[in-house]
Amino acid sequence: MSENKSHIDAKINRLYSDKMLGKEAIQDLESWLDNDSEREELLLYFSEKWEAVKTSDVKEANQTKRLFITSTWWNLQFYKNLAAILLLPLIGALLFVIINKKVADTQLMTVRTELGDRAHFFLPDGTEVHMNALSTLSYNLSYGVNQRNVQVTGEVYFDVFKNPSLPFVVSSDSITVEALGTQFMVRNYLDEPFVRSSLLEGKIKVESTDEGMVLVPGESVEYNKAASVLTKKRFDLGMGLAWTNGSLIFKDDTMEDVCRKIEHWYGVDVICNMADFKGKTFSLRLRKEETLYNLLAIMGEVLQLNYRMNDDKLIITKKRINN
Protein backbone atom coordinates (compact mmCIF):
# COMPACT_ATOMS: atom_id res chain seq x y z
CA MET A 1 0.00 0.00 0.00
CA SER A 2 2.97 2.32 0.52
CA GLU A 3 3.42 2.75 -3.25
CA ASN A 4 -0.30 3.52 -3.66
CA LYS A 5 -0.22 5.97 -0.78
CA SER A 6 2.74 7.71 -2.36
CA HIS A 7 0.81 7.93 -5.62
CA ILE A 8 -2.19 9.52 -3.89
CA ASP A 9 0.00 11.90 -1.89
CA ALA A 10 1.67 13.07 -5.08
CA LYS A 11 -1.68 13.64 -6.77
CA ILE A 12 -3.05 15.58 -3.79
CA ASN A 13 0.08 17.70 -3.39
CA ARG A 14 -0.01 18.65 -7.07
CA LEU A 15 -3.67 19.67 -6.88
CA TYR A 16 -3.12 21.61 -3.70
CA SER A 17 -0.07 23.47 -4.99
CA ASP A 18 -2.41 25.84 -6.87
CA LYS A 19 -3.99 26.89 -3.53
CA MET A 20 -7.46 26.22 -4.94
CA LEU A 21 -9.14 23.75 -7.29
CA GLY A 22 -9.51 25.48 -10.63
CA LYS A 23 -11.52 24.14 -13.57
CA GLU A 24 -8.64 22.12 -15.01
CA ALA A 25 -7.73 20.67 -11.62
CA ILE A 26 -11.33 19.61 -11.01
CA GLN A 27 -11.53 17.96 -14.44
CA ASP A 28 -8.26 16.18 -13.72
CA LEU A 29 -9.59 15.01 -10.36
CA GLU A 30 -12.89 13.81 -11.84
CA SER A 31 -11.04 11.83 -14.48
CA TRP A 32 -8.89 10.32 -11.77
CA LEU A 33 -11.91 9.35 -9.68
CA ASP A 34 -13.62 7.65 -12.63
CA ASN A 35 -11.24 4.76 -12.08
CA ASP A 36 -12.81 2.30 -9.60
CA SER A 37 -9.48 1.12 -8.20
CA GLU A 38 -8.37 4.73 -7.64
CA ARG A 39 -11.56 5.44 -5.67
CA GLU A 40 -11.05 2.40 -3.48
CA GLU A 41 -7.47 3.47 -2.74
CA LEU A 42 -8.65 7.01 -1.99
CA LEU A 43 -11.32 5.86 0.45
CA LEU A 44 -8.74 3.73 2.25
CA TYR A 45 -6.40 6.71 2.25
CA PHE A 46 -9.05 8.91 3.88
CA SER A 47 -9.78 6.17 6.42
CA GLU A 48 -6.16 6.18 7.50
CA LYS A 49 -6.17 9.98 7.68
CA TRP A 50 -9.26 9.78 9.88
CA GLU A 51 -7.55 7.36 12.23
CA ALA A 52 -4.72 9.86 12.53
CA VAL A 53 -6.92 12.82 13.42
CA LYS A 54 -9.91 11.30 15.17
CA THR A 55 -8.46 11.98 18.63
CA SER A 56 -8.21 15.70 17.83
CA ASP A 57 -10.65 18.06 19.48
CA VAL A 58 -13.34 19.17 17.07
CA LYS A 59 -15.35 22.22 18.07
CA GLU A 60 -19.10 21.87 17.94
CA ALA A 61 -20.86 24.00 15.32
CA ASN A 62 -22.12 27.40 16.53
CA GLN A 63 -25.84 26.79 16.82
CA THR A 64 -28.68 27.44 19.22
CA LYS A 65 -30.17 24.73 21.47
CA ARG A 66 -32.09 21.92 19.79
CA LEU A 67 -30.95 22.49 16.23
CA PHE A 68 -32.24 19.52 14.28
CA ILE A 69 -30.22 18.48 11.23
CA THR A 70 -31.58 15.66 9.09
CA SER A 71 -30.21 14.05 5.97
CA THR A 72 -31.52 11.48 3.53
CA TRP A 73 -28.12 9.90 3.21
CA TRP A 74 -25.62 10.71 5.95
CA ASN A 75 -26.00 10.20 9.68
CA LEU A 76 -24.66 12.28 12.56
CA GLN A 77 -21.61 10.11 13.11
CA PHE A 78 -20.51 10.71 9.54
CA TYR A 79 -20.58 14.47 10.16
CA LYS A 80 -18.46 14.08 13.27
CA ASN A 81 -15.93 12.13 11.24
CA LEU A 82 -16.11 14.61 8.38
CA ALA A 83 -15.61 17.54 10.76
CA ALA A 84 -12.35 16.02 11.92
CA ILE A 85 -11.22 15.24 8.39
CA LEU A 86 -11.96 18.82 7.37
CA LEU A 87 -9.22 19.91 9.74
CA LEU A 88 -7.02 19.01 6.79
CA PRO A 89 -7.93 21.75 4.26
CA LEU A 90 -6.87 19.81 1.21
CA ILE A 91 -8.83 16.70 2.05
CA GLY A 92 -11.83 18.94 2.68
CA ALA A 93 -11.54 20.32 -0.84
CA LEU A 94 -11.22 16.84 -2.31
CA LEU A 95 -14.21 15.56 -0.37
CA PHE A 96 -16.26 18.47 -1.68
CA VAL A 97 -15.62 17.29 -5.23
CA ILE A 98 -16.16 13.63 -4.36
CA ILE A 99 -19.48 14.40 -2.69
CA ASN A 100 -20.64 16.23 -5.79
CA LYS A 101 -19.68 13.26 -7.93
CA LYS A 102 -21.27 10.51 -5.86
CA VAL A 103 -24.39 12.14 -4.39
CA ALA A 104 -27.48 12.82 -6.51
CA ASP A 105 -29.02 16.28 -6.61
CA THR A 106 -32.24 14.91 -5.11
CA GLN A 107 -30.55 14.12 -1.78
CA LEU A 108 -31.18 16.97 0.62
CA MET A 109 -29.65 18.40 3.75
CA THR A 110 -32.27 20.01 6.00
CA VAL A 111 -31.79 22.29 8.99
CA ARG A 112 -34.83 22.73 11.22
CA THR A 113 -35.67 24.84 14.27
CA GLU A 114 -38.58 24.17 16.60
CA LEU A 115 -40.81 26.55 18.57
CA GLY A 116 -38.72 28.68 20.92
CA ASP A 117 -35.48 27.96 19.06
CA ARG A 118 -33.19 29.96 16.79
CA ALA A 119 -30.09 28.91 14.88
CA HIS A 120 -26.95 30.50 13.44
CA PHE A 121 -24.59 28.68 11.06
CA PHE A 122 -22.78 28.86 7.72
CA LEU A 123 -23.54 27.11 4.46
CA PRO A 124 -20.69 25.27 2.68
CA ASP A 125 -19.87 28.32 0.51
CA GLY A 126 -19.51 30.64 3.53
CA THR A 127 -22.98 32.20 3.36
CA GLU A 128 -24.11 33.15 6.89
CA VAL A 129 -27.58 32.04 7.99
CA HIS A 130 -29.81 32.99 10.92
CA MET A 131 -33.01 30.98 11.37
CA ASN A 132 -35.92 32.09 13.51
CA ALA A 133 -38.19 29.67 15.35
CA LEU A 134 -40.23 27.06 13.47
CA SER A 135 -38.19 27.36 10.28
CA THR A 136 -36.57 24.98 7.81
CA LEU A 137 -33.80 25.36 5.26
CA SER A 138 -32.99 22.65 2.70
CA TYR A 139 -30.31 22.38 0.04
CA ASN A 140 -28.89 19.70 -2.23
CA LEU A 141 -25.67 18.05 -1.17
CA SER A 142 -24.12 19.33 -4.40
CA TYR A 143 -24.74 22.92 -3.23
CA GLY A 144 -21.91 25.27 -4.17
CA VAL A 145 -20.57 23.25 -7.11
CA ASN A 146 -22.79 24.28 -10.01
CA GLN A 147 -25.66 25.94 -8.12
CA ARG A 148 -26.50 27.65 -4.83
CA ASN A 149 -30.20 26.95 -4.43
CA VAL A 150 -32.00 26.65 -1.09
CA GLN A 151 -35.62 26.19 -0.03
CA VAL A 152 -37.00 27.78 3.12
CA THR A 153 -40.07 28.02 5.32
CA GLY A 154 -40.44 30.19 8.41
CA GLU A 155 -38.09 33.17 8.74
CA VAL A 156 -34.48 33.11 7.57
CA TYR A 157 -31.79 35.81 7.24
CA PHE A 158 -28.93 35.42 4.73
CA ASP A 159 -25.60 37.22 4.44
CA VAL A 160 -24.63 35.80 1.06
CA PHE A 161 -21.02 35.03 0.17
CA LYS A 162 -20.34 36.83 -3.10
CA ASN A 163 -19.79 34.58 -6.12
CA PRO A 164 -20.80 36.22 -9.44
CA SER A 165 -20.61 32.93 -11.33
CA LEU A 166 -23.11 31.21 -8.99
CA PRO A 167 -26.16 33.32 -8.05
CA PHE A 168 -27.73 32.51 -4.68
CA VAL A 169 -31.39 31.53 -5.15
CA VAL A 170 -34.03 31.04 -2.44
CA SER A 171 -37.31 29.29 -3.23
CA SER A 172 -40.25 29.71 -0.86
CA ASP A 173 -43.81 28.87 -1.77
CA SER A 174 -44.46 30.46 -5.19
CA ILE A 175 -41.62 32.99 -5.23
CA THR A 176 -37.88 32.90 -5.87
CA VAL A 177 -35.30 35.41 -4.63
CA GLU A 178 -31.99 35.75 -6.47
CA ALA A 179 -28.87 37.47 -5.14
CA LEU A 180 -25.14 37.58 -5.84
CA GLY A 181 -23.71 38.95 -2.60
CA THR A 182 -26.08 40.69 -0.25
CA GLN A 183 -28.05 40.62 3.01
CA PHE A 184 -31.75 39.85 2.96
CA MET A 185 -34.50 37.94 4.73
CA VAL A 186 -37.31 35.66 3.65
CA ARG A 187 -40.41 35.06 5.78
CA ASN A 188 -42.95 32.37 4.93
CA TYR A 189 -44.84 30.85 7.84
CA LEU A 190 -47.49 28.38 6.75
CA ASP A 191 -50.17 30.03 8.93
CA GLU A 192 -49.57 33.50 7.46
CA PRO A 193 -51.24 34.75 4.24
CA PHE A 194 -48.07 36.15 2.66
CA VAL A 195 -44.46 35.46 1.76
CA ARG A 196 -42.18 38.42 2.44
CA SER A 197 -38.65 39.14 1.23
CA SER A 198 -36.82 42.15 2.75
CA LEU A 199 -33.50 43.63 1.64
CA LEU A 200 -30.91 45.06 4.03
CA GLU A 201 -27.90 45.45 1.75
CA GLY A 202 -27.09 44.95 -1.94
CA LYS A 203 -29.73 44.04 -4.51
CA ILE A 204 -32.12 41.14 -5.01
CA LYS A 205 -34.64 40.13 -7.64
CA VAL A 206 -37.94 38.66 -6.42
CA GLU A 207 -40.08 36.73 -8.89
CA SER A 208 -43.44 34.99 -8.76
CA THR A 209 -45.12 33.05 -11.54
CA ASP A 210 -46.49 36.18 -13.20
CA GLU A 211 -44.22 39.10 -12.25
CA GLY A 212 -40.91 40.18 -10.81
CA MET A 213 -39.40 43.11 -8.89
CA VAL A 214 -35.90 44.34 -8.07
CA LEU A 215 -35.37 45.64 -4.52
CA VAL A 216 -32.97 48.21 -3.09
CA PRO A 217 -32.01 48.35 0.63
CA GLY A 218 -34.94 49.26 2.86
CA GLU A 219 -37.54 47.70 0.59
CA SER A 220 -39.54 44.51 0.95
CA VAL A 221 -41.92 42.59 -1.27
CA GLU A 222 -44.98 40.72 -0.02
CA TYR A 223 -46.50 37.92 -2.06
CA ASN A 224 -50.18 37.39 -1.30
CA LYS A 225 -50.69 33.63 -1.41
CA ALA A 226 -54.39 33.81 -2.14
CA ALA A 227 -54.32 36.57 -4.78
CA SER A 228 -50.89 35.65 -6.26
CA VAL A 229 -49.88 39.33 -6.23
CA LEU A 230 -46.54 40.98 -5.39
CA THR A 231 -46.61 44.29 -3.47
CA LYS A 232 -43.54 46.42 -2.74
CA LYS A 233 -43.29 48.19 0.64
CA ARG A 234 -40.79 50.04 2.81
CA PHE A 235 -38.91 47.97 5.34
CA ASP A 236 -37.81 48.93 8.88
CA LEU A 237 -34.20 47.67 9.04
CA GLY A 238 -33.99 47.88 12.83
CA MET A 239 -37.14 45.86 13.42
CA GLY A 240 -36.29 43.38 10.71
CA LEU A 241 -32.92 42.50 12.21
CA ALA A 242 -33.98 42.56 15.86
CA TRP A 243 -34.66 38.82 16.17
CA THR A 244 -31.21 37.93 14.79
CA ASN A 245 -29.72 39.86 17.72
CA GLY A 246 -31.97 38.24 20.30
CA SER A 247 -34.47 41.08 20.66
CA LEU A 248 -38.25 40.74 20.46
CA ILE A 249 -40.19 43.75 19.14
CA PHE A 250 -43.91 44.46 19.08
CA LYS A 251 -44.93 47.54 17.09
CA ASP A 252 -48.63 48.28 16.85
CA ASP A 253 -49.20 44.52 16.76
CA THR A 254 -52.69 43.09 16.94
CA MET A 255 -53.41 40.46 19.58
CA GLU A 256 -53.18 37.80 16.89
CA ASP A 257 -49.67 38.99 15.97
CA VAL A 258 -48.68 39.20 19.64
CA CYS A 259 -49.79 35.64 20.34
CA ARG A 260 -48.01 34.29 17.26
CA LYS A 261 -44.74 35.98 18.29
CA ILE A 262 -45.04 34.61 21.83
CA GLU A 263 -45.58 31.09 20.48
CA HIS A 264 -42.55 31.29 18.20
CA TRP A 265 -40.25 33.04 20.68
CA TYR A 266 -41.03 31.15 23.89
CA GLY A 267 -42.18 27.78 22.52
CA VAL A 268 -45.62 27.72 24.14
CA ASP A 269 -49.11 27.28 22.75
CA VAL A 270 -51.28 30.37 23.30
CA ILE A 271 -55.03 30.07 23.79
CA CYS A 272 -56.85 33.39 23.46
CA ASN A 273 -60.22 34.65 22.31
CA MET A 274 -59.08 37.25 19.78
CA ALA A 275 -62.53 38.88 19.72
CA ASP A 276 -61.96 40.05 23.31
CA PHE A 277 -59.06 42.20 22.12
CA LYS A 278 -60.41 43.43 18.80
CA GLY A 279 -59.05 46.86 17.90
CA LYS A 280 -56.28 46.72 20.52
CA THR A 281 -52.61 46.98 19.55
CA PHE A 282 -49.42 46.48 21.53
CA SER A 283 -45.93 47.98 21.21
CA LEU A 284 -42.85 46.97 23.21
CA ARG A 285 -39.17 46.19 22.68
CA LEU A 286 -37.81 43.46 24.93
CA ARG A 287 -34.19 43.13 25.95
CA LYS A 288 -32.31 39.94 25.22
CA GLU A 289 -33.45 36.91 27.21
CA GLU A 290 -36.41 38.73 28.80
CA THR A 291 -38.64 36.18 30.50
CA LEU A 292 -42.15 35.35 29.36
CA TYR A 293 -43.56 36.28 32.76
CA ASN A 294 -42.05 39.77 32.58
CA LEU A 295 -43.65 40.23 29.17
CA LEU A 296 -47.02 39.00 30.41
CA ALA A 297 -46.89 41.33 33.41
CA ILE A 298 -46.47 44.32 31.09
CA MET A 299 -49.16 43.06 28.72
CA GLY A 300 -51.52 42.55 31.64
CA GLU A 301 -51.32 46.22 32.53
CA VAL A 302 -51.42 47.60 29.00
CA LEU A 303 -54.06 45.31 27.50
CA GLN A 304 -56.04 44.59 30.67
CA LEU A 305 -55.71 40.82 30.52
CA ASN A 306 -55.27 37.86 32.82
CA TYR A 307 -53.00 34.91 32.09
CA ARG A 308 -52.14 31.50 33.48
CA MET A 309 -49.96 28.59 32.44
CA ASN A 310 -51.40 25.09 32.08
CA ASP A 311 -48.48 22.76 31.33
CA ASP A 312 -47.02 24.18 28.09
CA LYS A 313 -50.15 26.18 27.25
CA LEU A 314 -50.56 29.89 27.95
CA ILE A 315 -54.18 30.86 28.50
CA ILE A 316 -54.99 34.56 28.06
CA THR A 317 -58.36 36.05 29.01
CA LYS A 318 -59.77 39.55 29.15
CA LYS A 319 -59.65 41.13 32.58
CA ARG A 320 -63.13 41.66 33.94
CA ILE A 321 -63.63 45.02 35.64
CA ASN A 322 -65.80 44.86 38.73
CA ASN A 323 -68.32 47.68 39.13
Side-chain angles (χ1 to χ4, degrees):
M1 181 62 189
S2 59
E3 182 177 347
N4 290 337
K5 287 170 59 180
S6 176
H7 160 66
I8 292 174
D9 279 330
K11 174 71 73 171
I12 288 175
N13 289 336
R14 184 168 66 81
L15 289 171
Y16 192 51
S17 64
D18 294 331
K19 305 301 181 185
M20 63 181 294
L21 292 178
K23 182 177 180 180
E24 292 183 2
I26 291 176
Q27 290 175 344
D28 185 26
L29 179 59
E30 289 179 343
S31 175
W32 179 37
L33 292 174
D34 279 336
N35 186 301
D36 291 339
S37 62
E38 296 282 15
R39 278 201 302 272
E40 292 177 4
E41 292 176 13
L42 192 59
L43 290 174
L44 182 56
Y45 178 90
F46 283 156
S47 296
E48 292 182 356
K49 289 295 184 183
W50 161 239
E51 289 297 325
V53 300
K54 71 178 182 179
T55 57
S56 300
D57 291 332
V58 180
K59 293 183 179 180
E60 294 292 333
N62 179 16
Q63 52 189 315
T64 311
K65 59 179 181 177
R66 298 205 308 275
L67 170 60
F68 296 96
I69 300 181
T70 59
S71 172
T72 58
W73 189 56
W74 287 337
N75 58 30
L76 183 59
Q77 186 59 45
F78 180 87
Y79 277 98
K80 290 181 179 178
N81 295 354
L82 180 58
I85 292 174
L86 288 176
L87 294 175
L88 305 175
L90 170 62
I91 294 179
L94 287 173
L95 281 175
F96 187 68
V97 177
I98 294 169
I99 290 169
N100 179 51
K101 189 170 185 68
K102 295 184 68 69
V103 179
D105 280 347
T106 56
Q107 293 171 315
L108 295 178
M109 178 72 174
T110 298
V111 183
R112 178 177 294 108
T113 55
E114 300 299 318
L115 283 172
D117 292 336
R118 281 158 293 283
H120 175 213
F121 59 96
F122 292 84
L123 291 172
D125 67 332
T127 291
E128 184 177 9
V129 179
H130 287 266
M131 293 176 61
N132 210 343
L134 208 62
S135 301
T136 65
L137 182 148
S138 300
Y139 58 92
N140 294 331
L141 292 179
S142 60
Y143 171 94
V145 178
N146 53 18
Q147 51 77 26
R148 293 195 296 167
N149 300 337
V150 300
Q151 300 83 45
V152 305
T153 62
E155 188 168 27
V156 185
Y157 160 88
F158 299 98
D159 187 350
V160 179
F161 182 82
K162 191 170 185 178
N163 182 351
S165 63
L166 285 181
F168 184 84
V169 179
V170 178
S171 299
S172 191
D173 206 282
S174 297
I175 72 166
T176 59
V177 183
E178 182 177 329
L180 290 178
T182 188
Q183 298 175 26
F184 68 100
M185 292 187 293
V186 175
R187 180 184 177 99
N188 179 22
Y189 283 107
L190 300 181
D191 60 347
E192 293 181 345
F194 61 84
V195 183
R196 179 189 297 139
S197 181
S198 305
L199 181 63
L200 289 82
E201 182 179 298
K203 183 183 292 185
I204 58 175
K205 180 171 64 176
V206 181
E207 293 184 315
S208 65
T209 305
D210 300 321
E211 58 183 324
M213 294 182 179
V214 175
L215 301 189
V216 298
E219 291 183 335
S220 67
V221 162
E222 284 191 2
Y223 173 77
N224 186 301
K225 297 177 184 178
S228 301
V229 174
L230 288 177
T231 304
K232 185 181 290 189
K233 299 182 177 182
R234 295 301 300 171
F235 170 62
D236 187 324
L237 298 178
M239 280 196 62
L241 275 178
W243 66 268
T244 67
N245 299 316
S247 298
L248 179 59
I249 296 180
F250 303 92
K251 186 176 180 180
D252 296 325
D253 285 352
T254 66
M255 196 61 182
E256 185 175 1
D257 293 331
V258 169
C259 291
R260 183 185 295 111
K261 287 184 179 181
I262 290 175
E263 287 182 332
H264 289 179
W265 197 262
Y266 293 103
V268 297
D269 291 327
V270 180
I271 300 173
C272 177
N273 183 355
M274 301 302 171
D276 288 342
F277 301 93
K278 186 176 181 179
K280 290 184 176 293
T281 60
F282 182 67
S283 297
L284 181 70
R285 184 185 185 110
L286 293 181
R287 300 185 303 271
K288 292 181 179 180
E289 305 304 325
E290 191 72 67
T291 67
L292 174 59
Y293 287 103
N294 286 348
L295 168 61
L296 292 173
I298 297 172
M299 287 177 57
E301 295 298 323
V302 175
L303 298 176
Q304 294 299 298
L305 58 80
N306 293 316
Y307 59 87
R308 60 186 175 89
M309 293 295 300
N310 184 2
D311 295 328
D312 60 348
K313 290 182 173 57
L314 169 63
I315 301 171
I316 294 177
T317 56
K318 185 176 181 180
K319 185 177 291 185
R320 304 302 176 186
I321 299 177
N322 298 322
N323 293 326

